[in-house]
Amino acid sequence: MVGSSSLASPLSLLLPLLFLLIAAAIGGATGSYDPKALCSKTTDMASCLKVFPTLPDKVAKARDSQEFYTQMELYCGFKIYEASSLAEAMIATTTAADPVIIATFFPQWKGDEAITTKTPPGKCLLSCNKSIGHVDDILTCGNTYLEDRPPIIHQNLTVLFHGGHPLPLCKNGCRDGSSSEGEAVLATKFNYIWSLLDLMEAVLPEYLSETGTTTSGAKHKTTMPSPDVTAAVATVP
């Protein structure tokens, strides 16, 4: 029939194209953010690229800098707690016992050399424990509210990575020939944390920009110097 045309109306032709454009725009918005690209903004890109595959999916597959920073902060806190617990346990088993106290309260153990002559903590262990404490201070910002921490953390990490301070002994891997196997494990954990903080420092400018947060009003509560002042005498390979 003449009145029944099989030609589609201009609107029906435009609708599919419109849907495709919208889908492309949405896909581009969600797929354009690449957290791994942040490695190019770190102070050690090679270490960052090695660490990135080990990140939990919540961090590695973040959709924007806000989600990336939020998940990274939680992950860093967990890894710091893990390393701190190991350091404290190692110190507890190496701290020299007081033979006078043992002889007074436990006379039957008076001659037990295993109890009265424990090896004191090595400088690597002490350095790592101290450095881990410093980076924990950087993230907790004197126990300020979570929403107030990002600009302070940003300032502290900027000082840590761009302040020209020598690296802590623990960051150098404690390669002085006297480190125990346990100390080497602890140093490896601290190196991992260091790379995580380096990556966090790289994303923070984007996070602060997206959230409209400025550092001008931030209180310098925990701006940190070098994580370990004894690093100046560390042997760097």
Side-chain angles (χ1 to χ4, degrees), residues 32-226:
S32 60
Y33 183 74
D34 181 13
K36 195 172 184 179
L38 292 168
C39 285
S40 63
K41 300 179 181 180
T42 62
T43 61
D44 189 345
M45 184 175 177
S47 294
C48 180
L49 291 174
K50 289 180 180 179
V51 164
F52 202 92
T54 69
L55 298 177
D57 285 346
K58 289 183 178 180
V59 180
K61 297 182 179 180
R63 293 166 294 182
D64 52 42
S65 62
Q66 295 184 48
E67 182 178 353
F68 184 87
Y69 166 75
T70 301
Q71 295 299 328
M72 176 62 86
E73 183 186 27
L74 293 173
Y75 185 56
C76 278
F78 170 73
K79 301 308 289 186
I80 288 173
Y81 173 77
E82 183 181 80
S84 177
S85 298
L86 175 60
E88 291 175 1
M90 290 174 62
I91 289 176
T93 58
T94 57
T95 302
D98 190 335
V100 175
I101 294 178
I102 288 179
T104 301
F105 295 97
F106 304 99
Q108 68 274 26
W109 293 345
K110 184 175 180 179
D112 193 337
E113 293 184 358
I115 294 175
T116 60
T117 58
K118 290 182 180 179
T119 304
K123 63 178 181 179
C124 174
L125 174 56
L126 294 176
S127 170
C128 287
N129 186 54
K130 184 176 182 179
S131 299
I132 291 167
H134 280 317
V135 296
D136 183 52
D137 288 341
I138 286 177
L139 291 190
T140 56
C141 302
N143 295 317
T144 58
Y145 291 113
L146 288 174
E147 61 269 22
D148 296 331
R149 293 180 185 179
I152 305 174
I153 293 174
H154 179 225
Q155 291 174 339
N156 292 339
L157 290 180
T158 298
V159 171
L160 187 67
F161 288 101
H162 306 287
H165 301 288
L167 294 176
L169 178 64
C170 194
K171 176 65 179 70
N172 294 329
C174 301
R175 302 184 184 97
D176 61 355
S178 64
S179 302
S180 66
E181 183 178 348
E183 287 174 323
V185 170
L186 186 60
T188 298
K189 287 182 177 294
F190 181 77
N191 276 318
Y192 184 76
I193 292 169
W194 188 273
S195 295
L196 294 180
L197 294 176
D198 197 5
L199 186 54
M200 182 185 290
E201 197 271 336
V203 77
L204 267 167
E206 294 185 19
Y207 169 86
L208 295 174
S209 176
E210 287 185 8
T211 57
T213 307
T214 62
T215 58
S216 58
K219 296 180 180 179
H220 299 260
K221 290 186 177 180
T222 57
T223 300
M224 302 299 299
S226 172

Side-chain angles (χ1 to χ4, degrees), residues 3-25:
S4 60
S5 173
S6 60
L7 296 176
S9 67
L11 181 59
S12 64
L13 291 174
L14 286 174
L15 283 176
L17 179 60
L18 183 62
F19 286 135
L20 287 174
L21 291 174
I22 294 174

